[in-house]
Amino acid sequence: MKRFEKKRAFITGAGSGLGRALALQFAAKGWKVAIGEINAQRAEESKRLVEEKGGKGLVVICDVTDEKALQAAAETLSREWGGVDVLINNAGVAAAGSIEKIPMDQWEWILNINLKSVILGCKVFVPMMEAQGGGHIVNVASSAGIACLPEMSCYNVTKAAVISLSETLYTELWPKKIGVTVVAPTFFKTNLMDQFRSTDESQREMAQKFFARSLATAEQVAAHVVKSIEKKRLYAIYQPDGKLVWWAKRLAPQMYYRTVGFFYSSRFARKAASAL
């Protein structure tokens, strides 16, 4: 992190989960951390924890799906800190359902929060970073955007799009000295299920079991993200199962999807989940 002398980070969705874990990672290194949140109570709690860790906290209440709200946040950070070195587009939600059952309002909800907010975050903060001579953007996607498992189309689409956007910006922003990292975790202990939506209760039950059985923590994923920023990595894939999917899909994509299709058609995944 030596290239960021002023140590300023803005993290959306930092009131809980991975966002809060990331905020505390930066705080432990003595950074100024702006908590981008729509929930004021959660934001204030994160600010308190940041300052206990040795950082300087700033609460920025904003709706990440609203361009004007993000622009106001950028103006606040410019006024208070003179800019931002690291932007982390972390805010997100989860959903599941078969394609014929997912209502359009669920599509609009998840597209707005998981994808539109990331697009807007990049759009609003890139000019600031370019003007100050550089910076780093972290977009939190998911291994779901790589694995593309069945009955998760609305979630998969948003996360695959975030990966595509990040890959595009990695080269587009290179001349402007703005680094880009995309995070693709699998299941880890977080509060993503709090706003989970699904068309079938069995989808919720399966997701809850996988989250509950996960060995990874938000703190471990957050630490890996910080290391990825330090090393200017494009991809931050921490968990072994995520790395396995990454390589399987790239080395043998047809075989990968045939295997997924076979296990799905045999309902093996549901049987395995019910046995957990």
Side-chain angles (χ1 to χ4, degrees), residues 54-258:
K56 180 178 180 181
L58 175 67
V59 170
V60 180
I61 301 299
C62 66
D63 177 354
V64 293
T65 67
D66 183 344
E67 184 174 359
K68 290 182 179 178
L70 278 172
Q71 190 63 56
E75 290 169 2
T76 296
L77 293 168
S78 181
R79 181 177 63 253
E80 295 291 328
W81 294 347
V84 169
D85 299 296
V86 174
L87 163 69
I88 303 182
N89 291 308
N90 165 73
V93 291
S98 52
I99 187 64
E100 73 277 11
K101 294 182 180 179
I102 301 172
M104 286 311 299
D105 62 349
Q106 181 170 307
W107 275 101
E108 292 169 3
W109 170 74
I110 199 166
L111 283 166
N112 279 337
I113 298 173
N114 285 7
L115 178 57
K116 181 183 176 183
S117 69
V118 177
I119 295 170
L120 289 176
C122 295
K123 180 177 185 290
V124 167
F125 281 89
V126 162
M128 175 191 289
M129 290 184 173
E130 183 178 8
Q132 69 190 21
H136 201 101
I137 295 172
V138 177
N139 295 326
V140 178
S142 167
S143 182
I146 301 168
C148 297
L149 297 178
E151 296 188 28
M152 294 177 60
S153 58
C154 60
Y155 186 68
N156 295 343
V157 165
T158 63
K159 295 305 184 179
V162 169
I163 293 171
S164 178
L165 173 66
S166 303
E167 291 169 340
T168 303
L169 295 183
Y170 185 84
T171 52
E172 183 177 323
L173 300 181
W174 183 285
K176 300 177 181 181
K177 297 182 180 180
I178 300 173
V180 178
T181 296
V182 62
V183 186
T186 58
F187 293 97
F188 65 95
K189 290 177 172 59
T190 183
N191 61 340
L192 196 59
M193 292 299 295
D194 289 356
Q195 300 182 67
F196 184 84
R197 297 184 184 183
S198 66
T199 60
D200 188 329
E201 187 59 27
S202 64
Q203 294 155 354
R204 174 182 292 275
E205 291 172 358
M206 183 184 295
Q208 287 175 328
K209 287 179 179 179
F210 280 120
F211 275 113
R213 294 286 180 172
S214 172
L215 298 177
T217 65
E219 290 73 22
Q220 290 171 328
V221 176
H224 185 259
V225 171
V226 172
K227 288 182 181 178
S228 297
I229 297 170
E230 291 172 348
K231 296 183 178 181
K232 301 181 182 179
R233 293 174 180 155
L234 171 56
Y235 304 105
I237 304 174
Y238 170 67
Q239 292 130 298
D241 52 343
K243 293 178 181 178
L244 177 63
V245 169
W246 169 266
W247 284 110
K249 185 173 176 180
R250 272 146 185 76
L251 294 175
Q254 186 71 32
M255 181 61 71
Y256 168 78
Y257 281 112
R258 285 184 177 180

Side-chain angles (χ1 to χ4, degrees), residues 9 11 13-16 19-28 31-37 39-61 76-77 80-81:
I11 306 170
S16 61
R20 176 176 286 177
L22 285 163
L24 297 182
Q25 285 286 327
F26 282 96
W31 279 54
K32 298 175 181 177
V33 183
I35 313 297
E37 256 294 341
N39 185 307
Q41 184 176 354
R42 286 181 174 181
E44 290 294 343
E45 177 64 11
S46 288
K47 178 177 181 290
R48 181 184 67 80
L49 293 171
V50 161
E51 293 179 345
E52 286 181 359
K53 275 283 187 179
K56 180 178 180 181
L58 175 67
V59 170
V60 180
I61 301 299
T76 296
L77 293 168
E80 295 291 328
W81 294 347

